[in-house]
Amino acid sequence: MTIRPLIAAALAAGLFIPLATLAAPEVGKPAPDFKAMAADGTTVELSALRGKTVVLEWTNHDCPFVMKHYRTGNMQATQAKAAEQGALWFQVISSEPGSQGHVSGERAQALNAERDVTAVTNTLIDEDGKVGRAYGAQVTPHMYVIDAEGVLQYMGGIDSIATARDADIEKATNYVVEALDAVKAGEPAPNPVTRAYGCTVKYAS
């Protein structure tokens, strides 16, 4: 199959693997502040979380790449690793109402219960896509690590092998764990910007 039909097939399936990450925001600079509604009805404001490392995970429960990391327990293990280090973890759902991946706050909480997700701080319901666009989130999962000073330290994929195959997880480098360990040690992430892979975020037009 030539490249053009391959891209067409991927788009038809709702899948997209970008060739490059967006330029903004920038690692080493303040992460974009936001205020967003959470699944439990509270409001989360990034600037109010200073003093804590924050992880943002763009998610879509129907995306095959997201399903891979939850089905195998890899995402839950990464979330647990963050919690062990005292970090706060927020899933972000930027799908517009009626599109793939959009759920209510109640359904988001139920999905986490079904997948044995126990180390997520909250799920942000970003229906208008303001948070997603501010971070340049393109796919699910798209990952960001922000240090206790509010500085972005990592953005990109969860790991180094861009496939939906479960067997690739143990061979891949988990970039989020790598970045969390670096932040804990007060060092720069070894791979601060990587290629995110997954399904396109279903933003409102």
Side-chain angles (χ1 to χ4, degrees):
M1 181 181 287
T2 61
I3 187 67
R4 183 170 295 178
L6 184 62
I7 293 173
L11 291 173
L15 309 178
F16 177 63
I17 301 175
L19 299 178
T21 54
L22 289 179
E26 294 184 45
V27 167
K29 295 189 176 181
D33 195 15
F34 62 79
K35 185 182 290 185
M37 182 185 73
D40 62 0
T42 61
T43 299
V44 175
E45 186 171 7
L46 180 64
S47 58
L49 305 176
R50 292 290 165 79
K52 292 282 189 180
T53 298
V54 172
V55 180
L56 300 178
E57 171 210 342
W58 263 262
T59 191
N60 166 355
H61 68 284
D62 283 330
C63 168
F65 296 91
V66 171
M67 293 169 69
K68 161 192 168 183
H69 289 289
Y70 277 98
R71 178 174 60 242
T72 59
N74 186 53
M75 190 65 80
Q76 294 92 325
T78 306
Q79 292 160 351
K81 171 80 172 180
E84 288 171 5
Q85 297 186 6
L88 305 178
W89 186 294
F90 295 93
Q91 299 163 319
V92 187
I93 299 173
S94 294
S95 298
E96 70 170 324
S99 67
Q100 185 195 60
H102 177 267
V103 293
S104 65
E106 182 179 6
R107 179 59 182 149
Q109 292 176 313
L111 281 167
N112 280 341
E114 293 167 9
R115 298 178 295 184
D116 295 323
V117 172
T118 59
V120 165
T121 307
N122 218 324
T123 305
L124 307 182
I125 309 299
D126 180 40
E127 291 182 344
D128 59 11
K130 287 183 178 177
V131 180
R133 289 189 172 97
Y135 278 79
Q138 296 175 293
V139 297
T140 55
H142 203 153
M143 311 297 300
Y144 298 79
V145 177
I146 303 163
D147 70 16
E149 303 301 319
V151 175
L152 184 64
Q153 296 293 343
Y154 174 75
M155 62 180 182
I158 182 173
D159 64 20
S160 60
I161 300 182
T163 73
R165 292 190 296 270
D166 295 2
D168 287 333
I169 289 177
E170 64 180 37
K171 297 179 289 186
T173 298
N174 187 317
Y175 291 132
V176 177
V177 168
E178 190 179 69
L180 285 167
D181 287 342
V183 168
K184 183 180 179 183
E187 300 173 351
N191 297 285
V193 182
T194 67
R195 187 184 70 173
Y197 67 91
C199 307
T200 53
V201 177
K202 309 301 186 289
Y203 287 116
S205 56

